[in-house]
Amino acid sequence: MGEFSQIVLLFISTVLVNNFILVRFLGICPFLGVSKQIETAFSMGLATTFVMTLTAAATWLINTFILEAFNLPFLRYVAFIIVIASLVQFVEMFIKKTSPVLYKALGIFLPLITTNCAIMGLALLIPLNGYSFIASVVFGFGAGVGFTLAIVLMAGLRENLEFGDVPQALKGVPITLIIAGILALSFMGFAGMISV
Amino acid sequence: MAVKFKELFSVFRNGIWKENPIMVLVIGMCPTLAVTNSAENGLAMGLATAFVLISSEIVISTIKNFIPANVRIPSFILIIATFVTFTDYFVKAFFPTIAASLSIFIPLIVVNCLILGRQEAFASKNPVHKSIADAVGMSIGFTWVLTLLGIIREFFGMGSVFGLQILGEWYNPMVIMLLPGGAFLTLGLMVGIYNHINREVE
């Protein structure tokens, strides 16, 4: 198989088959916390995708040229979390200066991304899977798109739930988790579609 | 002294039920859902998180006056990351099978909102002894939910508890309980029951 088709398959499998939220359980906090409205969910997804793509590139470079080159694997977690935190800060400052409109849309979500386990999980999965630089960036972008897909679907379901008659004890978090369960079940239909 | 002990005890008790990190605060959900496909994994994850939470609360409440307010979050994260690295190497060295089944979720304790949240909300404002009470209470609260979730999922998914076969050959395992969907459904019902009990008591 050519390298290009390999990359395309990697992208599709990251978005659907190994969806970060519904299959790998990464990024559940924003998935439950910021999925009340489609609009905000989409902004959150956009911000996360942006940071994920950059994180994938930055952590690949640091892992390959610093941590592995100087044999410092024990510094991996400390290094990754610093990279992610400063990247988020940097992206926030950059967007604030260049595009006030985008900043207004993403503003409050950016600081939240630092403690989003999907980002850290992405950084940890890349060395584990031994991806090349391009594959890492595609993996990061695909993870972000998968995240956005799941969170927007969830927001759509929750908007409709407003009109539902939910038992008192299940209101709020429990019913959200149960819906997420059903969503995860339906995503299982993609399993086995592609194996990378 | 008696009053002080009572106060400490109420801080300690808070995390176990009234402000349970998972049931009420809804934080630290990723490991909760991901690793609880067996009781053993749930317990191991709970203990690993407990170690990191307790040690970092001790360190941070001790040195809180020396950390400048502006850089406190990065400092907290660095302290947490150090303890997580320690835990990761310890588990890999002594419990390789558990390390393999928890995979990236041990390093992900770094970004567990429970840990950072407690530092920000509690350890950075309270003395050491109170922080220890808070950390131990929260750890027990986190661990019991993870273990119970693991027991339920393992029981229905494999007919065993802690690897001990309980249901016989006749039992047809519900594989869905071991899959992501089952994790969400079980936890959703658990939180529902928790809310129901609380309402009944009131």
Side-chain angles (χ1 to χ4, degrees):
Chain A
M1 212 184 322
E3 202 175 325
F4 180 73
S5 49
Q6 197 90 49
I7 295 279
V8 173
L9 278 185
L10 174 69
F11 178 76
I12 297 172
S13 86
T14 319
V15 175
L16 295 176
V17 184
N18 290 318
N19 187 286
F20 257 51
I21 294 181
L22 296 168
V23 180
R24 287 193 205 261
F25 291 119
L26 295 166
I28 305 284
C29 298
F31 177 64
L32 296 177
V34 203
S35 60
K36 287 210 177 83
Q37 284 176 323
I38 294 183
E39 216 169 295
T40 45
F42 187 70
S43 302
M44 180 71 191
L46 212 63
T48 310
T49 310
F50 192 56
V51 175
M52 271 182 154
T53 316
L54 286 177
T55 305
T59 50
W60 188 88
L61 291 173
I62 285 184
N63 191 51
T64 314
F65 292 114
I66 298 176
L67 297 177
E68 273 173 15
F70 295 102
N71 199 16
L72 299 166
F74 56 89
L75 279 181
R76 187 173 278 163
Y77 309 152
V78 179
F80 282 178
I81 193 74
I82 296 176
V83 169
I84 293 167
S86 37
L87 202 65
V88 171
Q89 191 76 46
F90 175 75
V91 167
E92 194 183 341
M93 282 173 357
F94 181 77
I95 295 180
K96 199 175 180 180
K97 273 269 190 280
T98 52
S99 162
V101 184
L102 191 62
Y103 181 73
K104 229 179 159 187
L106 304 184
I108 47 164
F109 298 117
L110 282 168
L112 281 176
I113 292 176
T114 313
T115 51
N116 181 342
C117 27
I119 314 279
M120 186 68 177
L122 173 80
L124 292 166
L125 281 170
I126 287 172
L128 210 66
N129 291 340
Y131 288 138
S132 69
F133 181 72
I134 296 186
S136 302
V137 175
V138 172
F139 183 58
F141 181 64
V145 173
F147 180 90
T148 312
L149 179 70
I151 200 169
V152 169
L153 278 177
M154 189 67 188
L157 289 171
R158 281 180 79 175
E159 276 189 0
N160 280 315
L161 195 69
E162 294 281 308
F163 309 106
D165 184 18
V166 181
Q168 199 64 36
L170 290 181
K171 273 200 175 128
V173 182
I175 193 73
T176 315
L177 284 167
I178 292 169
I179 294 175
I182 297 169
L183 204 56
L185 282 182
S186 52
F187 262 72
M188 273 172 51
F190 294 118
M193 191 169 78
I194 304 169
S195 52
V196 174
Chain B
M1 195 64 203
V3 176
K4 227 175 158 189
F5 182 75
K6 217 172 163 187
E7 197 188 328
L8 270 187
F9 187 71
S10 85
V11 170
F12 166 73
R13 213 178 39 184
N14 228 359
I16 300 179
W17 186 267
K18 211 173 83 197
E19 275 182 37
N20 188 288
I22 298 171
M23 301 292 202
V24 181
L25 308 177
V26 202
I27 49 180
M29 298 303 271
C30 303
T32 308
L33 292 162
V35 303
T36 49
N37 49 13
S38 77
E40 193 188 10
N41 286 349
L43 181 64
M45 188 67 213
L47 293 179
T49 312
F51 170 75
V52 176
L53 180 60
I54 295 169
S55 357
S56 47
E57 274 210 44
I58 292 174
V59 170
I60 286 165
S61 61
T62 313
I63 62 167
K64 60 178 182 293
N65 296 331
F66 301 102
I67 303 176
N70 294 333
V71 292
R72 70 178 190 288
I73 302 282
S75 326
F76 293 170
I77 293 180
L78 280 187
I79 292 167
I80 296 167
T82 313
F83 282 115
V84 170
T85 310
F86 180 82
T87 314
D88 187 44
Y89 276 65
F90 179 82
V91 177
K92 264 186 198 151
F94 290 97
F95 306 100
T97 44
I98 289 180
S101 55
L102 298 185
S103 71
I104 62 165
F105 283 94
I106 290 186
L108 280 179
I109 298 175
V110 177
V111 283
N112 189 328
C113 339
L114 166 64
I115 314 258
L116 190 64
R118 287 331 283 171
Q119 313 307 337
E120 175 71 3
F122 205 94
S124 60
K125 292 181 193 122
N126 286 290
V128 181
H129 60 283
K130 262 185 164 177
S131 301
I132 295 175
D134 176 70
V136 175
M138 284 288 162
S139 301
I140 296 176
F142 187 72
T143 311
W144 81 252
V145 176
L146 255 75
T147 314
L148 182 63
L149 188 58
I151 291 174
I152 296 173
R153 286 180 66 193
E154 193 185 336
F155 181 76
F156 287 108
M158 288 189 286
S160 61
V161 170
F162 282 105
L164 206 77
Q165 201 65 34
I166 289 186
L167 298 180
E169 287 286 314
W170 53 270
Y171 182 67
N172 195 5
M174 296 154 72
V175 182
I176 180 203
M177 294 300 278
L178 301 176
L179 297 171
F184 280 115
L185 291 175
T186 315
L187 187 64
L189 292 176
M190 269 171 73
V191 180
I193 292 169
Y194 172 89
N195 287 348
H196 184 70
I197 294 172
N198 277 355
R199 278 195 319 134
E200 289 291 299
V201 171
E202 276 168 23

